[in-house]
Amino acid sequence: MDKIVSKSLLVDVAFKHAQEVFRVAGACDNCAGYNNWVPESIFALAPEGTDSVRLLDFLHGGILEPLPKISDGLTAVQRVPSTVVIAAEIVCQHLALCEHPTLWLHEALLTKEELKAKNLPNVTIDGTIYLVFSDGLDVSRVTELIQYSLLSWHFLGFVLDGTNNSGSVAELISAAKFVLIGAYDGESFLYLNGPRSD
């Protein structure tokens, strides 16, 4: 795989994609305070030489070189490349800056009953389920958690300092110290540091 770097994006364009991901994760367009902030910068994890125009096509994959096919003699499977480990390292850097580091991951598919059966810690905010982790958050564990929650069409994670439940998804987003968003058909991620108020 080519060297993966953090590529700065046009904030006004990339933030529109982030807002759509936030909506899928339960934020409403007219939530109080939600429309009053924007990130200072948004970055994409991508190969060093990726064209800047290509980086703004957040929904389609192909930014990473395909991995070799694996064959068992009957079928061949094309593994999908991913930057999950690199994203986990960046998440851990931000968790380390928090006094009470907590990782929140939007759960887009499983029900409360399924999560209970799997013994996964979760909370419901605005009718939306989030997995909440605060222990053992090293790179290996964070990689595992991101892989667990990552869908080709959606991923959203937050680093918060503290475990207090927010009253709304908009408050959760506003309290985030770091935001990680799935992009490029699940191949990679966008990330932004916590929002600043205008």
Side-chain angles (χ1 to χ4, degrees), residues 24 76 88 173:
V24 170
I173 295 167

Side-chain angles (χ1 to χ4, degrees), residues 35-109:
N35 289 323
N36 295 332
W37 65 265
V38 293
E40 291 184 23
S41 54
I42 299 179
F43 297 92
L45 289 177
E48 197 166 26
T50 306
D51 179 74
S52 59
V53 173
R54 174 65 185 90
L55 287 175
L56 297 178
D57 181 6
F58 306 115
L59 300 180
H60 297 97
I63 65 164
L64 302 180
E65 288 293 321
L67 297 172
K69 290 185 178 179
I70 300 172
S71 176
D72 63 4
L74 299 173
T75 60
V77 176
Q78 179 73 55
R79 292 184 9 207
V80 177
S82 172
T83 61
V84 169
V85 174
I86 297 167
E89 291 170 351
I90 295 171
V91 168
C92 286
Q93 290 169 7
H94 288 272
L95 287 165
L97 299 174
C98 298
E99 187 174 343
H100 303 287
T102 309
L103 179 62
W104 291 61
L105 303 173
H106 176 234
E107 176 50 59
L109 295 180

Side-chain angles (χ1 to χ4, degrees), residues 77-185:
V77 176
Q78 179 73 55
R79 292 184 9 207
V80 177
S82 172
T83 61
V84 169
V85 174
I86 297 167
E89 291 170 351
I90 295 171
V91 168
C92 286
Q93 290 169 7
H94 288 272
L95 287 165
L97 299 174
C98 298
E99 187 174 343
H100 303 287
T102 309
L103 179 62
W104 291 61
L105 303 173
H106 176 234
E107 176 50 59
L109 295 180
L110 298 180
T111 65
K112 294 285 280 183
E113 293 75 24
E114 291 168 325
L115 292 170
K116 184 176 181 181
K118 292 177 180 286
N119 200 28
L120 290 168
N122 63 85
V123 297
T124 302
I125 302 173
D126 290 338
T128 304
I129 299 172
Y130 285 86
L131 304 177
V132 183
F133 303 94
S134 56
D135 295 320
L137 295 174
D138 60 12
V139 172
S140 176
R141 177 67 172 148
V142 171
T143 298
E144 176 186 309
L145 294 172
I146 292 173
Q147 287 173 326
Y148 182 82
S149 293
L150 180 63
L151 303 168
S152 64
W153 56 272
H154 180 74
F155 175 86
L156 179 61
F158 305 106
V159 169
L160 272 74
D161 195 349
T163 57
N164 293 341
N165 288 348
S166 296
S168 69
V169 174
E171 287 177 17
L172 176 64
I173 295 167
S174 294
K177 303 294 184 188
F178 177 81
V179 181
L180 185 67
I181 297 171
Y184 312 117
D185 199 27

